Amino acid sequence: MNTIYPVVWSNNKVLLIDQTALPSRYTLVEISRYEDMAKAIKTMIVRGAPAIGVAAAYGMYLGARDIQTKEREIFLKQLEKVAEILRQTRPTAVNLFWAISRMLKTAYESIGTVEEIKQILLQTAQQIQEEDVKTCQAIGQNSLSILPKKTEKLTILTHCNAGALATAGYGTALGVIRAAWTEGRLKRVFADETRPRLQGAKLTAWECVQEKIPVTVISDNMAAHCMQKRLIDMVVVGADRIAANGDTANKIGTYGLAVIAKMHNVPFYVAAPLSTVDFNLETGDLIPIEERDPSELYQIGTTIIYPDGVDYYNPAFDVTPAHLITGIITEQKTVKPEELITLKSDLSYH
Ligand SMILES: CSC[C@H]1O[C@H](OP(=O)(O)O)[C@H](O)[C@@H]1O
């Protein structure tokens, strides 16, 4: 059973696993102010769509806690400012915006004193966190019915980190992998390093090692060769935002992986909670793609790997078109991309 929780409420503050320090150092960062939570999301101390949704929810509570007024209207007006600062952290993962909206809606719909509303906001952040763990476990269970039917144990390739560290716990793509491992269906994980931030090498591999799941780390440019050599039975990745037609934004490199999987008839699945689906966007070309600092490209540790005089382009995500996706594994069920819209009414909140 996974016990990696990237965000923990403890002693009236939030403890974050510093994911920029893993795997060499396991350290916790204490967050007591919403401004520091915003910074932790932007600098990827906490990252992964569901995890930053949970972090933003606690950030909303921390901001609310510091608002010094008993006047409801003044409180709500200042809470809107907290929300705007948190919204400006990262643009792609819809969970961030979903969580902030849910916290704001809760505040507006709550009756009682300002202090009572603050307590309701804390409870709501904790509820969002608890729901996500259960959602990830349901995704894992739902994936068992779609695992390739073969007698030998499976080798599953994943990209970036869609694990416990990217969620409230258990993970989405790694939730599928954990479920397969628990059921005795998994032989090995192949983890793409995932340039430039290397979440696969640093975080997915770390999670697998913690739970003694055999893992092979490969450089991103090895995936095609591994599929050509029939080493991979299935690919499963996470998602940051899924459009209503099933087009999926995920870590840069996912689209290329989907093209290679299609070429080699390897099943390619997206594992994501319904809170990652943006039913307001018809197609994936409308998904905002974050561009990050070019130093992520040209610097590894203290080493500069590019010569002076080059230009940079650092999109953090790309969009995989629905026709390259075999299925989307959600907490309700696994659907073909074109069937995703049928789950819209199942969304408890959006
Ligand atoms: C379970 S969502 C994980 C998703 O988020 C990651 O992006 P980042 O590390 O930049 O937050 C990546 O796209 C993962 O698939």
Side-chain angles (χ1 to χ4, degrees):
M1 175 62 188
N2 156 261
T3 56
I4 301 168
Y5 301 111
V7 183
V8 172
W9 179 253
S10 171
N11 296 326
N12 287 320
K13 55 183 174 293
V14 182
L15 301 178
L16 300 177
I17 294 177
D18 181 353
Q19 298 190 39
T20 63
L22 288 174
S24 50
R25 284 180 299 114
Y26 179 95
T27 56
L28 299 178
V29 174
E30 294 186 0
I31 303 287
S32 299
R33 300 169 63 247
Y34 83 94
E35 297 91 337
D36 295 332
M37 184 62 85
K39 187 176 177 188
I41 294 170
K42 187 144 186 67
T43 58
M44 296 176 67
I45 285 172
V46 57
R47 34 68 49 199
I52 63 179
V54 172
Y58 278 115
M60 286 290 287
Y61 167 68
L62 294 174
R65 184 173 69 175
D66 288 347
I67 296 172
Q68 300 303 319
T69 180
K70 291 182 171 26
E71 294 300 316
R72 177 190 174 84
E73 291 315 310
I74 294 174
F75 170 75
L76 292 172
K77 200 175 176 82
Q78 290 188 17
L79 189 62
E80 290 279 6
K81 292 177 182 173
V82 172
E84 192 47 35
I85 294 296
L86 289 165
R87 285 192 197 101
Q88 290 169 6
T89 52
R90 298 187 72 189
T92 304
V94 72
N95 305 62
L96 177 92
F97 303 94
W98 169 84
I100 291 168
S101 297
R102 179 165 165 182
M103 294 294 282
L104 273 178
K105 185 170 186 281
T106 300
Y108 277 96
E109 292 179 350
S110 298
I111 54 176
T113 67
V114 164
E115 287 311 308
E116 287 167 342
I117 295 174
K118 290 179 182 182
Q119 284 312 304
I120 292 169
L121 288 175
L122 175 57
Q123 292 159 12
T124 303
Q126 292 169 320
Q127 190 181 354
I128 289 172
Q129 183 172 27
E130 289 158 15
E131 285 170 3
D132 187 69
V133 176
K134 294 189 176 77
T135 294
C136 287
Q137 290 167 342
I139 289 169
Q141 287 308 303
N142 288 344
S143 72
L144 296 175
S145 62
I146 57 89
L147 295 178
K149 304 284 186 282
K150 61 182 284 191
T151 49
E152 304 83 39
K153 292 186 177 183
L154 302 169
T155 298
I156 299 178
L157 171 69
T158 190
H159 189 70
C160 194
N161 173 260
L165 289 168
T167 61
Y170 199 73
T172 53
L174 286 196
V176 169
I177 282 167
R178 285 188 167 95
W181 178 249
T182 303
E183 290 297 307
R185 294 293 317 279
L186 181 69
K187 175 182 172 186
R188 173 169 295 276
V189 173
F190 270 51
D192 278 351
E193 282 182 341
T194 315
R195 277 270 301 159
R197 298 249 346 181
L198 304 174
Q199 291 96 319
K202 294 182 173 182
L203 304 178
T204 291
W206 180 81
E207 287 197 39
C208 290
V209 166
Q210 299 308 305
E211 295 178 33
K212 297 183 174 41
I213 298 173
V215 56
T216 299
V217 179
I218 59 171
S219 58
D220 303 340
N221 54 5
M222 292 180 188
H225 170 79
C226 292
M227 287 195 223
Q228 186 184 51
K229 296 298 181 186
R230 316 302 300 164
L231 299 179
I232 308 298
D233 296 305
M234 167 182 163
V235 178
V236 62
V237 298
D240 290 82
R241 189 181 306 219
I242 304 173
N245 73 339
D247 292 346
T248 296
N250 195 53
K251 184 53 50 193
I252 190 77
T254 303
Y255 171 40
L257 202 54
V259 170
I260 297 165
K262 192 77 172 180
M263 163 87 180
H264 293 281
N265 296 314
V266 173
F268 182 93
Y269 284 92
V270 171
L274 285 171
S275 59
T276 300
V277 182
D278 186 347
F279 287 106
N280 298 319
L281 289 188
E282 285 186 18
T283 56
D285 57 309
L286 302 171
I287 297 174
I289 299 298
E290 177 185 13
E291 286 197 37
R292 293 188 64 86
D293 189 284
S295 62
E296 294 181 351
L297 293 169
Y298 65 69
Q299 193 162 335
I300 296 182
T302 56
T303 305
I304 306 296
I305 59 171
Y306 289 9
D308 290 339
V310 302
D311 296 320
Y312 310 104
Y313 179 43
N314 186 18
F317 303 98
D318 56 26
V319 176
T320 298
H323 68 84
L324 294 176
I325 299 170
T326 307
I328 299 174
I329 309 167
T330 77
E331 65 275 31
Q332 294 295 339
K333 61 191 231 187
T334 299
V335 292
K336 290 185 172 56
E338 60 270 24
E339 299 165 342
L340 187 61
I341 196 69
T342 65
L343 300 184
K344 182 175 182 179
S345 58
D346 290 354
L347 191 65
S348 58
Y349 177 88
H350 215 304

